[in-house]
């Protein structure tokens, strides 16, 4: 158990009837070394375009630095050969397209992890044994979602 401190700054702007943007920065630090995922910086950029019944959105998140990477196990041995996660800095992008067919029906299509980035947010570093490709749980690659919302 450790205490984490940080801040989050967000800016949200509607440019006109069609364009909307958002920008944010979150920063975290911990008092002690952590053995799990704790990003030092997370940057978010989002842009939405809306016209008539259509809405298209692009969200990009950047994770820079990670507390806990390169830490030692419980016996004080350093992991020189492997990192605790596949990467400490990475970008993720999500794209969404929404169509409001009627006042009660919305159809949507979304692509998460648009560029198919290999990354992980959880690791079994608590187990205290050698780390490597089997030590972390990778997050899903590129994922396609198609759906419909119907309100009644």
């Amino acid at each position: 158990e450790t205490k984490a401190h940080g801040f989050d700054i967000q800016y949200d702007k509607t440019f006109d009837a069609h364009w909307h943007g958002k920008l944010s920065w979150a920063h975290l630090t911990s008092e002690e070394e952590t053995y799990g995922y704790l990003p030092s910086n997370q940057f978010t950029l989002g842009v939405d375009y809306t016209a008539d019944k259509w809405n298209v959105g692009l969200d990009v998140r950047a994770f820079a630095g990670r507390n806990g990477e390169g830490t030692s196990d419980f016996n004080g041995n350093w992991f020189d050969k492997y990192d605790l996660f596949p990467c400490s800095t990475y970008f993720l992008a999500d794209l969404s397209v929404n169509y409001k067919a009627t006042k009660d029906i919305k159809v949507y299509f979304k692509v998460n992890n648009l560029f198919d980035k290999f990354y992980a947010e959880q690791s079994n570093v608590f187990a205290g044994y050698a780390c490597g490709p089997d030590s972390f749980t990778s997050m899903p690659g590129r994922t396609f979602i198609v759906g419909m919302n119907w309100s009644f």
Side-chain angles (χ1 to χ4, degrees):
E1 187 174 315
T2 186
K3 290 183 182 182
H5 304 278
F7 59 86
D8 184 10
I9 299 171
Q10 299 181 10
Y11 179 71
D12 200 74
K13 173 77 173 167
T14 300
F15 298 101
D16 58 29
H18 300 289
W19 290 96
H20 172 259
K22 58 186 174 185
L23 182 66
S24 70
W25 171 37
H27 178 73
L28 289 173
T29 58
S30 62
E31 293 178 357
E32 299 174 17
E33 186 174 32
T34 61
Y35 292 97
Y37 176 76
L38 182 61
S40 296
N41 295 287
Q42 178 180 337
F43 302 94
T44 305
L45 172 66
V47 178
D48 292 313
Y49 179 78
T50 303
D52 299 321
K53 297 182 176 190
W54 291 92
N55 172 268
V56 178
L58 176 65
D59 291 313
V60 179
R61 296 179 316 278
F63 300 86
R66 178 194 314 270
N67 293 329
E69 188 163 21
T71 57
S72 62
D73 65 14
F74 296 118
N75 297 320
N77 300 315
W78 287 93
F79 302 128
D80 294 326
K81 187 172 180 183
Y82 300 110
D83 289 328
L84 304 181
F85 293 91
C87 55
S88 63
T89 300
Y90 55 94
F91 293 86
L92 298 175
D94 300 329
L95 176 68
S96 62
V97 178
N98 302 289
Y99 178 71
K100 189 162 182 146
T102 69
K103 78 173 196 156
D104 298 325
I105 297 174
K106 181 176 95 173
V107 180
Y108 60 89
F109 172 73
K110 187 167 186 178
V111 182
N112 291 327
N113 197 354
L114 186 62
F115 300 110
D116 202 21
K117 177 65 183 167
F118 177 64
Y119 71 103
E121 290 184 350
Q122 293 186 2
S123 173
N124 70 354
V125 294
F126 287 104
Y129 54 86
C131 291
D134 298 334
S135 314
F136 48 79
T137 304
S138 63
M139 297 300 290
R142 185 180 304 120
T143 307
F144 300 93
I145 301 170
V146 177
M148 180 182 78
N149 291 336
W150 178 25
S151 301
F152 54 92

